[in-house]
Amino acid sequence: DVASRLPDNVKLTYFHYKKDQTVALKGQAPSATIANDFQSRLEKSELFSKVAAGRSDSGVGGLTKFDLTCTLKSAAGAGTTP
């Protein structure tokens, strides 16, 4: 689901999955606007109950580096599957 919501011009540099808890992402985007758009897309996912932004820095070459932590819905309601 993360890959399908990733804009073409955003590059993920880190992906860490904690089973039934969180997905931590780090990446680079051409601008803060595009990084925020990616966050908005993830917030619409059925997999996540919350998407929290960490740091966001504009760096060399105009790229914006960002961190996101996505809390899985299964973290809040583990074991509630019918």
Side-chain angles (χ1 to χ4, degrees):
D1 200 44
V2 171
S4 68
R5 295 174 189 277
L6 187 68
D8 290 336
N9 49 0
V10 172
K11 177 183 175 184
L12 288 183
T13 58
Y14 177 83
F15 182 100
H16 185 261
Y17 168 72
K18 276 188 167 179
K19 186 176 180 182
D20 294 328
Q21 293 182 34
T22 59
V23 175
L25 304 170
K26 293 182 183 182
Q28 297 176 340
S31 70
T33 302
I34 293 172
N36 291 338
D37 176 59
F38 179 46
Q39 180 179 350
S40 295
R41 291 179 185 201
L42 291 174
E43 288 169 345
K44 294 174 185 167
S45 172
E46 293 295 320
L47 294 177
F48 307 125
S49 61
K50 178 181 175 185
V51 179
R55 70 173 179 87
S56 179
D57 300 318
S58 294
V60 179
L63 289 177
T64 297
K65 294 182 179 181
F66 61 88
D67 295 354
L68 298 172
T69 301
C70 308
T71 303
L72 294 164
K73 286 188 177 176
S74 58
T80 59
T81 320

